[in-house]
Amino acid sequence: MQTLIPAAWAAAGHGIPSVCSRHGLPATLRARTRFESAPAGWTYALIPLGLLAFIIVRAVTRHVVDAPVWHYCDRCRSRRRQQRVGFGLLTAGGFAIPVAAIATEADGPVASLLTATALIALIVGYVGLVRARWEVIAQARVTRDGQWIAVRDPAPEFDAEFTATMSAAVTGAQQYAPAAAPAARPAVTAAPGSAGWSSPR
């Protein structure tokens, strides 16, 4: 299940529910959030050609929406804080291990093990920090066409509030739509030889 929010609304800060999208709880933080589209499946075929090629094509083909306002609750904030601290320490450990290996002059199997451990720590730490971004906490991404922000598995409260906002916008647009122009009255053409003739009233 997903809720589709117009990207133009999000970019303007309009129509965004006042509860968080993940938990449906009242917001305690209004944060600017940068949403991106997922990479197209075919772009992963470029990785064997080099990571740089993938990064360049990804940057060119992605859609980005900067939402000036998105709402988060205390549980969202706690989740992000814990992830940033935990994975941040893991990443720092990945950088510290090689330094410790050099300081202790480790070599042979020990050095190989420390190098592998540092590499794993850096990869896991980086992925964890990416998962701590606001857009991931919100469970939302821009669709491939760039027209919508798709919120995956939104809380019922979030979906209900947005549905009500969308219904009100549609109703208002229909209410203030200009009425159809009245049909023009057919002109009366005088018969030949009857100049100045007019139809009786």
Side-chain angles (χ1 to χ4, degrees), residues 13-158:
H14 166 75
I16 307 302
S18 59
V19 296
C20 81
S21 54
R22 178 181 282 267
H23 306 106
L25 298 176
T28 59
L29 174 67
R30 292 158 50 97
R32 176 179 292 274
T33 305
R34 181 184 178 89
F35 297 99
E36 297 182 4
S37 59
W42 61 268
T43 59
Y44 291 103
L46 299 174
I47 293 180
L49 302 178
L51 187 58
L52 181 60
F54 170 79
I55 293 174
I56 292 175
V57 174
R58 162 68 176 149
V60 171
T61 59
R62 70 178 174 178
H63 293 281
V64 178
V65 175
D66 283 313
V69 175
W70 199 270
H71 298 101
Y72 301 91
C73 68
D74 285 335
R75 290 176 61 183
C76 294
R77 299 172 68 180
S78 177
R79 180 189 183 95
R80 185 170 190 259
R81 187 182 308 113
Q82 292 173 3
Q83 288 181 330
R84 295 184 72 182
V85 171
F87 290 108
L89 290 174
L90 186 61
T91 303
F95 284 109
I97 290 175
V99 175
I102 294 173
T104 58
E105 298 182 352
D107 58 1
V110 175
S112 299
L113 179 61
L114 291 176
T115 301
T117 302
L119 183 60
I120 293 173
L122 287 173
I123 293 174
V124 174
Y126 173 77
V127 172
L129 290 175
V130 170
R131 299 288 300 172
R133 293 183 304 178
W134 280 127
E135 68 167 320
V136 180
I137 300 294
Q139 303 182 131
R141 262 187 166 171
V142 182
T143 56
R144 294 280 173 78
D145 60 6
Q147 299 300 310
W148 307 88
I149 291 181
V151 182
R152 187 182 72 257
D153 297 326
E157 296 84 357
F158 180 92

Side-chain angles (χ1 to χ4, degrees), residues 174-192:
Q174 293 175 344
Q175 181 178 357
Y176 292 102
R185 178 180 298 177
V188 177
T189 304

